Amino acid sequence: MSQAHLFDTAIALAPHGEGEWRGSTSAAYANMIGPYGGITAAQVLNAVLGHPDRLGDPLALTVNYAAAVADGPFVLRPRAARTNRSTQHWIVELLQGGQVVVTATVVTAVRRDAWGGHEAAMPEVPRPLDVARTAQHGVEWLQRYEMRFLQGKVPDVWDGRTSDQSLTRLWVRDEPLRPLDFASLTAMADIFFPRVWLRRAKLVPMGTVSMTVYFHADAAQLAAYGSGFLLVQARGQGFAGGFFDHGGQLWNEAGDLLATTHQVVYYRE
Amino acid sequence: MSQAHLFDTAIALAPHGEGEWRGSTSAAYANMIGPYGGITAAQVLNAVLGHPDRLGDPLALTVNYAAAVADGPFVLRPRAARTNRSTQHWIVELLQGGQVVVTATVVTAVRRDAWGGHEAAMPEVPRPLDVARTAQHGVEWLQRYEMRFLQGKVPDVWDGRTSDQSLTRLWVRDEPLRPLDFASLTAMADIFFPRVWLRRAKLVPMGTVSMTVYFHADAAQLAAYGSGFLLVQARGQGFAGGFFDHGGQLWNEAGDLLATTHQVVYYRE
């Protein structure tokens, strides 16, 4: 008898009343306080993926972290606000104790045969198994990923030295291995520790406020990839008034761009 | 007696029932079919900016264009899903004939004194008045902006030549002049003609599906800037299955990053 992957258990949802789902945070993806934001984003997406009315595959996802997610159960309330011939627009709310904790919008779409050619090329980097595995310490969710950093690791020394750039590049895959899909790709889009830690070499308090993911692959492409590594990178843009943003890209080992992502993050410093 | 600026007239909203606004598309910002997407985004933001319950300034805006906006009146339905001490999360819907045409989320926040230092530096470019004004032909909304292109203009010849890059840079300001604010900054974040036209030198049908703007300035900073030029740039990332995305930045003349933006766009080719 095979056991479910921890990721699948974490994002599992049960029907709960009219058009709602019930889920729960997962100790396997615990962060310092509450859950890893990437697993919350995957749960939100899963509320649409599992919906009987869904049309097409995910194209765009925006998740707004409106309040700290508390350990324990939650309710997901997805609503198809508009359904067209080939696109569909969802509004999703995640509630705990009757209060909205996450708001989100999801666009799903039927992809067509069309001219293509990704402009964001994968940088030239060593193959994943030629890069040392990075030891992971600390919070539980880090144990769910195998990471091999190429550039922009968490500072070894928190000496408060200011840097003018925050590019991070790493190879990453699920630990244990799991075939890639939209939910796991979404979770990995949030894998970047906060850029402000790199810029400041200082462990300042922070929290993602809003994250967007654009998907550039369809379900068949993701399924065909299996459980290979993703090369993921992120770079900060604006840092002011207690908020910064970053933009990032996720490629498979063949150099196909699978998704792009950006997020805006609160920090106290 | 001074006349209202066309932009202010275009984004003006009137109270309409319980917590709703009524607005209308503006002939001054007409696109090929329906309105310019940037003016729709500004109208959506204005539904929150004008709300008596609003807390703080815009931090993040995601606008999903769920269907074509028809010329004529619309209703805007903003709802504060969550209000915290210093951030607030809004869900906004724009309706025509009782149907959802746009979905959006807006995060507003009170900015604090904090360490800052923008990482996305303005490229070295000539000053705006040292660059020739670009002649604008075609749709009406283009007449509302003074544009001075530095790089990546709309192709002069539509010869279907494929290019591997789509960087566009231009100086832009309202025409006639108008002091910068969150609404006009939002409208300018959508100013980029579709990157696929540059990549393909072909006038393929397209439409923005979702746009996100992160704001890196507060209201006082924007007001202090007045009606100067913005340097704006955008670059494509993924192009596949009939959808592409781009990332972009908007700076003032002093080189301060005011906003970053992303969007995913449908194209038929």
Side-chain angles (χ1 to χ4, degrees):
Chain A
M1 206 185 92
S2 76
Q3 219 179 347
H5 193 282
L6 287 170
F7 184 82
D8 292 294
T9 306
I11 66 165
L13 303 173
H16 175 76
E18 192 62 54
E20 294 189 351
W21 301 100
R22 194 183 154 86
S24 176
T25 59
S26 158
Y29 287 86
N31 207 343
M32 200 105 63
I33 301 169
Y36 167 48
I39 203 76
T40 304
Q43 289 159 336
V44 165
L45 185 68
N46 211 25
V48 171
L49 289 173
H51 201 288
D53 298 342
R54 172 171 62 94
L55 174 79
D57 286 335
L59 172 67
L61 163 74
T62 293
V63 181
N64 304 292
Y65 299 89
V69 180
D71 293 329
F74 55 76
V75 169
L76 274 162
R77 194 177 284 168
R79 173 166 63 92
R82 176 93 190 199
T83 300
N84 300 312
R85 219 166 21 151
S86 62
T87 59
Q88 194 172 43
H89 288 258
W90 295 83
I91 296 172
V92 187
E93 292 173 85
L94 186 152
L95 298 98
Q96 288 188 312
Q99 299 293 305
V100 173
V101 175
V102 171
T103 70
T105 60
V106 181
V107 185
T108 56
V110 178
R111 287 178 170 78
R112 292 157 300 103
D113 278 334
W115 173 85
H118 295 315
E119 185 168 344
M122 183 164 82
E124 287 192 31
V125 294
R127 311 310 308 161
L129 295 180
D130 295 336
V131 180
R133 182 164 181 172
T134 309
Q136 314 278 24
H137 306 293
V139 293
E140 186 61 25
W141 74 267
L142 288 171
Q143 313 307 320
R144 302 288 84 75
Y145 292 101
E146 177 182 341
M147 300 187 190
R148 295 167 182 261
F149 273 79
L150 295 149
Q151 189 174 342
K153 269 201 306 184
V154 177
D156 290 321
V157 187
W158 300 97
D159 58 3
R161 191 177 313 183
T162 300
S163 157
D164 60 3
Q165 77 86 28
S166 68
L167 175 64
T168 281
R169 271 182 194 149
L170 64 147
W171 290 107
V172 63
R173 60 180 177 181
D174 282 310
E175 163 73 44
L177 298 183
R178 179 182 176 279
L180 189 67
D181 57 19
F182 285 109
S184 64
L185 184 58
T186 297
M188 285 188 238
D190 189 39
I191 206 133
F192 309 100
F193 66 89
R195 308 292 85 202
V196 69
W197 289 3
L198 265 187
R199 293 287 308 281
R200 294 292 281 159
K202 207 168 161 185
L203 209 60
V204 304
M206 52 66 64
T208 298
V209 177
S210 183
M211 174 171 79
T212 290
V213 183
Y214 296 151
F215 301 95
H216 291 292
D218 60 23
Q221 259 179 285
L222 296 185
Y225 188 54
S227 56
F229 283 92
L230 299 189
L231 180 73
V232 301
Q233 72 173 21
R235 194 192 305 255
Q237 298 202 92
F239 295 73
F243 296 95
F244 77 86
D245 75 321
H246 79 224
Q249 294 82 28
L250 298 89
W251 295 270
N252 66 16
E253 289 184 54
D256 300 319
L257 185 69
L258 301 182
T260 55
T261 184
H262 42 287
Q263 63 175 263
V264 61
V265 180
Y266 154 89
Y267 63 92
R268 201 168 72 225
E269 154 64 330
Chain B
M1 208 185 90
S2 75
Q3 219 179 346
H5 193 282
L6 287 170
F7 184 82
D8 292 294
T9 305
I11 66 166
L13 302 172
H16 176 75
E18 191 64 52
E20 294 189 351
W21 301 100
R22 193 183 154 87
S24 177
T25 59
S26 158
Y29 287 86
N31 206 345
M32 200 106 65
I33 301 169
Y36 167 49
I39 203 77
T40 304
Q43 289 159 337
V44 165
L45 185 68
N46 212 24
V48 172
L49 289 173
H51 202 289
D53 297 342
R54 172 171 61 94
L55 174 79
D57 286 335
L59 173 66
L61 163 74
T62 293
V63 180
N64 305 290
Y65 299 89
V69 180
D71 293 328
F74 56 76
V75 168
L76 274 162
R77 194 177 283 167
R79 174 166 63 90
R82 176 92 189 200
T83 300
N84 300 311
R85 219 168 20 154
S86 61
T87 60
Q88 193 173 43
H89 287 257
W90 295 82
I91 296 172
V92 186
E93 292 174 85
L94 185 152
L95 297 99
Q96 288 189 310
Q99 299 292 306
V100 172
V101 175
V102 171
T103 68
T105 58
V106 181
V107 184
T108 56
V110 178
R111 287 179 169 79
R112 292 157 299 104
D113 277 334
W115 173 84
H118 295 316
E119 185 167 345
M122 182 164 82
E124 287 194 28
V125 293
R127 311 311 306 162
L129 294 179
D130 294 336
V131 180
R133 182 164 179 171
T134 308
Q136 313 278 22
H137 306 292
V139 294
E140 186 61 25
W141 74 266
L142 288 172
Q143 312 308 319
R144 301 289 85 74
Y145 292 102
E146 178 182 341
M147 300 189 191
R148 295 167 182 261
F149 273 79
L150 295 148
Q151 189 174 343
K153 268 202 309 186
V154 177
D156 290 322
V157 187
W158 300 96
D159 58 1
R161 189 177 315 183
T162 300
S163 158
D164 61 1
Q165 76 88 28
S166 69
L167 175 63
T168 282
R169 272 183 194 149
L170 64 147
W171 290 106
V172 62
R173 60 180 177 181
D174 282 311
E175 164 72 44
L177 297 183
R178 179 182 174 280
L180 188 68
D181 58 19
F182 285 109
S184 65
L185 184 59
T186 296
M188 285 188 238
D190 190 38
I191 206 133
F192 308 99
F193 66 91
R195 308 292 85 204
V196 69
W197 290 2
L198 265 186
R199 293 286 308 280
R200 295 291 281 157
K202 208 168 159 184
L203 208 58
V204 304
M206 52 65 64
T208 299
V209 177
S210 184
M211 174 171 80
T212 290
V213 183
Y214 296 151
F215 301 95
H216 290 293
D218 60 23
Q221 260 179 285
L222 297 185
Y225 188 53
S227 55
F229 282 93
L230 298 189
L231 180 73
V232 301
Q233 73 173 22
R235 194 191 308 253
Q237 298 200 93
F239 294 72
F243 297 96
F244 78 85
D245 76 319
H246 79 222
Q249 295 81 28
L250 298 90
W251 294 271
N252 66 17
E253 290 184 54
D256 299 319
L257 185 69
L258 302 182
T260 57
T261 185
H262 294 76
Q263 61 175 266
V264 61
V265 179
Y266 155 89
Y267 62 92
R268 200 168 71 224
E269 153 64 329

